[in-house]
Amino acid sequence: QVQLVESGGGSVQAGGSLRLSCAVSGYNIRSNCMGWFRQSEGKEREGVAAMDGDGSISYADFVKGRFTISKDNAKNTLYLQMDSLKSEDTAMYFCAAERTGYCGAHLRLKSDVMDYWGKGTLVTISA
């Protein structure tokens, strides 16, 4: 059974930083496609950052230069370092994984590509 458990969310002021973690069990992140998505109130879920097993990465334009996705294969954990946070980054952040192993540049940030989801961790940024 695949389980994804996010942690690291919280409340910070604009300009601050947070580091999200996604601990994974029942699924080997080493060679698979995983990503971070977010959903704020009244909006659709959107892709934030995603990584294929070969290390290829995609970022949404609105986080480029501020967020960094990474993983620790030994710990089977995915991370999202978020710097220079803005009030518009306030959202529930979800970790997700794709079943077949490869997403590709055009699909990494598409939520309907992902098969497994965590329950999310809330990030609140105050102005």
Side-chain angles (χ1 to χ4, degrees):
Q1 183 178 359
V2 178
Q3 288 190 319
L4 289 72
V5 180
E6 302 94 337
S7 61
S11 298
V12 298
Q13 290 188 328
S17 297
L18 283 172
R19 188 194 195 202
L20 305 184
S21 299
C22 174
V24 182
S25 59
Y27 178 95
N28 188 344
I29 71 170
R30 180 181 297 276
S31 56
N32 288 304
C33 172
M34 293 194 67
W36 289 96
F37 295 77
R38 71 185 189 186
Q39 187 168 20
S40 53
E41 193 169 347
K43 294 187 178 181
E44 293 187 355
R45 190 170 296 187
E46 58 186 358
V48 175
M51 172 188 285
D52 266 309
D54 63 0
S56 300
I57 292 173
S58 296
Y59 291 102
D61 288 343
F62 52 78
V63 302
K64 282 181 179 177
R66 300 189 299 123
F67 290 11
T68 304
I69 187 172
S70 63
K71 63 180 180 177
D72 185 328
N73 291 330
K75 295 182 178 180
N76 220 38
T77 299
L78 185 73
Y79 301 100
L80 184 68
Q81 177 67 41
M82 305 188 297
D83 299 316
S84 302
L85 284 161
K86 306 175 181 179
S87 56
E88 51 262 44
D89 293 320
T90 294
M92 185 72 80
Y93 283 72
F94 299 90
C95 172
E98 194 275 343
R99 181 174 53 85
T100 64
Y102 183 73
C103 292
H106 297 294
L107 296 177
R108 285 188 203 115
L109 296 178
K110 303 292 186 182
S111 60
D112 55 5
V113 168
M114 299 297 174
D115 299 294
Y116 307 110
W117 292 86
K119 294 183 178 180
T121 186
L122 182 62
V123 172
T124 304
I125 311 302
S126 57

